[in-house]
Amino acid sequence: MAMEITQYLLSAQSPDANVRTGAENTLGQFRDQNLPGFLLSLSVELSNDSKPTESRRLAGIVLKNSLDAKEAATKDHLVQQWIAIDNTFKSQIKSSLLNTLGSSVQEASHTAAQVIAKIASIEIPRKEWPELVGSLLANMTQPDKPASLKQATLESLGYVCEEISHEDLVQDEVNSVLTAVVQGMNVSEQSLEVRLAATRALLNALDFARTNFENEMERNYIMKVTCDAALAKETEIRQAAFECLVSIASTYYEVLEPYMQKIFELTSNAVRGDEEAVALQAVEFWSSICDEELELQDYEVPESGDSSAPHSCFIEKALPTLVPMLLDTLLKQDEDQDQDDGIWNLAMAGGTCLCLVARTVGDAVVPLVMPFVETNISKTDWRSREAATYAFGSILEGPSIEKLSPMVNAGLDFLLNAMKDENSHVKDTTAWTLSRIFELLHSPASGFSVITPANLQKILGVLLESIKDAPHVAEKVCGAIYFLAQGYEDAGPSSSLLTNYIPDIMTSLITAADRTDGSDSKLRSSAYETLNEVVRSSNLVETAQIIAKLLPVVMSKLEQTLNLQILSSDDREKQGDLQASLCGVLQVCAISVGVVGDISRALDEKILPYCDGIMTLLLKDLSSAELHRSVKPAIFSCFGDIALAISEHFEKYISYVLPMMQSASEVCAQMDYTDEEMMDYGNLLRRSICEGYSGILQGFKNSKAELMLPYATHLLQFIDLVAKDKQRDESVTKAAVAVLGDVADALGSNIKVLFKDCSFCAELLSECLQSDDEQLKETAAWTQGMIGRAFSVNG
């Protein structure tokens, strides 16, 4: 039974904290003690036009939040609560909500439409509330019903379609819904509110219309009313109609051919002369067509060009008129577009679409775009120069290297000089274009790069000077450096080209990250991300010593973050972001962990002040479910490197490290080595565990070897398991034999008891001494000598 809750709902919004808290507690008790009555009371409050708007608004919000939540577990709990309510209560609540659709207060009817859809999302898949669609359609077909009811009903139908699957309605229901929606969209409908609600409802109903789109007559009618709506006098209706066309482009691409001429006219007129909200959707239509055609190209059989799905080549056919239309949009920039990450305007949408067009048609786009670039690139108006640069950068992916390389080689100097342009928008877009060039046309490993030993010095000189520019420009420059460095990864001898510049690059990136004027941009995170990529991609043999000097700087900055003053959640978030960025420089990937090991060996005990931070991060990584398993072997090897560097000081870490290594060795025992991928990973993991133990044993050998005695039995069991695997990799064999020698070397006479039952030792050593691998034979001979020496001590 419903209860009078108006006053509590009003008091729950009181500026007086005591009044507000008291009301919230009363409502909470009502909900906890009698949920069905609570929900019914809310629905009655929402439906009553004589109640205050404020109490009805809160009733609607609480009702909605009692049925749905973003968090999956909470949502499931709320759904189960609703399902458990007695049908008598549920029927009363639903009846009350349907009545509210006819409310003269639009806010109430709008909320009711949303709540109806939330209940439908629970009940319709369960084959409950079968009469809902019929009840809603009756509002549309009965004569003399007010336009406000039709509007709320169409809203409700749209929300219902958004919440449920197309499999939840039978075809007769779909036909009825579409009929009602399309009638509401018709130009003969007098109420503009009804037309708008109907057009928005169609957007959500399109997924249900597969059968209807297969019928030419029905499809023609749906397309006609949609195109008519795209010509409506009201901006909101035109925008909603173009949103429908965008959805149709991706859902029903294969049947669009007869309508494309009309759609091109509509989109062209909208882009060139309509309100920006409408023009954006018109451009989005062509982006959606590109997405569909790119996907179809992925499915084509290369040899024959055959594809199971029809490819209508709409972009190729429209190219001569589509490209000029998109180029026009590039000249419609906002003055402050580079300052606001959230901004999305016609110039950006046009450039994004042009990128997609270039990927879709390849070489054919180049001769259509380059005249625009050449005409505008040197004009006095900044908009022309920026648009030309944006156009140039937008067509770098898709066309062939053969088509692009002459124009990029010819334009590279021009772009580098443009980084000194008087206009920051031009510099911003130029830096973005350079980053695209380095990302797409700089791959020495594959044999092609626009960067040469001759131009690299100038390129880096410009970039390192431009990183001092405005934060939004500096951020794009970081992107250019990122891809420039990435290109040298696995580049053989070419990777050395960057080595001499690494110190200056690192200094510039750290300086950029420290800038106080970059707090509102992504400059700091971009600078650290780029620094991380420079470290990852560099020639480690040549740069290990350079990178070693970076580590104390990063560790010092990480330490400073612990002392930041935290006054708000925003401060806490910034602290977390900074720590994540700094940790990213220290570790994100296996090669970076390897660098930490290299640095440790290079610095020896000088690494000690930073070990707490490094070890905390490495141990945290090992515990992380998100870290890719391929990084974990590198961490075990790194433990060995650090132990070797700091010797007895590693004692403080062994109670954390050794149990993890033991767990990893047990994982090795359970692996399926018949699976090739698993076998490769297993070999990598076993080798790294042995390397880790070797480093720790050698580190403790001269002062605290006894610390390893409690772990020695488990280690020998692990080596026994490795020895029994006749399919093991040779690198695993070497590591296992070496760690066996390290056990004997470090623990001396203590191994007599440990080795008493280790018959596998003699067999493993015998196998290795007969190997053709000289290095393996030497290691086995050394291990045999260490074991012999340990047994001979004290007789």
Side-chain angles (χ1 to χ4, degrees), residues 492-504:
S494 295
S495 66
S496 295
L497 290 176
L498 204 61
T499 300
N500 290 337
Y501 302 100
I502 295 277
D504 288 341

Side-chain angles (χ1 to χ4, degrees), residues 509-619:
L509 288 168
I510 290 170
T511 303
D514 285 344
R515 281 171 59 167
T516 53
D517 62 342
S519 58
D520 293 330
S521 78
K522 297 178 289 186
L523 176 56
R524 185 170 64 190
S525 59
S526 294
Y528 279 124
E529 208 174 297
T530 302
L531 184 59
N532 183 31
E533 191 64 9
V534 170
V535 171
R536 195 187 69 80
S537 304
S538 63
N539 186 322
L540 289 178
V541 175
E542 298 174 353
T543 59
Q545 294 298 318
I546 302 168
I547 294 167
K549 294 173 185 172
L550 170 69
L551 187 65
V553 177
V554 176
M555 291 303 297
S556 172
K557 289 185 179 300
L558 196 56
E559 189 177 6
Q560 288 166 22
T561 66
L562 302 174
N563 302 319
L564 289 175
Q565 192 172 17
I566 307 299
L567 300 175
S568 66
S569 58
D570 190 41
D571 289 340
R572 174 72 62 196
E573 188 177 343
K574 284 181 180 175
Q575 181 195 42
D577 289 344
L578 180 54
Q579 288 173 337
S581 296
L582 289 163
C583 292
V585 178
L586 294 174
Q587 41 79 38
V588 281
C589 60
I591 199 162
S592 298
V593 174
V595 171
V596 174
D598 293 340
I599 291 169
S600 302
R601 289 200 302 275
L603 295 179
D604 285 330
E605 287 203 356
K606 291 175 191 166
I607 195 78
L608 193 57
Y610 310 104
C611 280
D612 281 356
I614 294 171
M615 290 299 295
T616 300
L617 291 170
L618 293 175
L619 290 164

Side-chain angles (χ1 to χ4, degrees), residues 369-381:
V369 171
M370 285 313 293
F372 176 87
V373 174
E374 289 156 5
T375 302
N376 289 281
I377 197 73
S378 299
K379 283 189 177 176
T380 53
D381 173 27

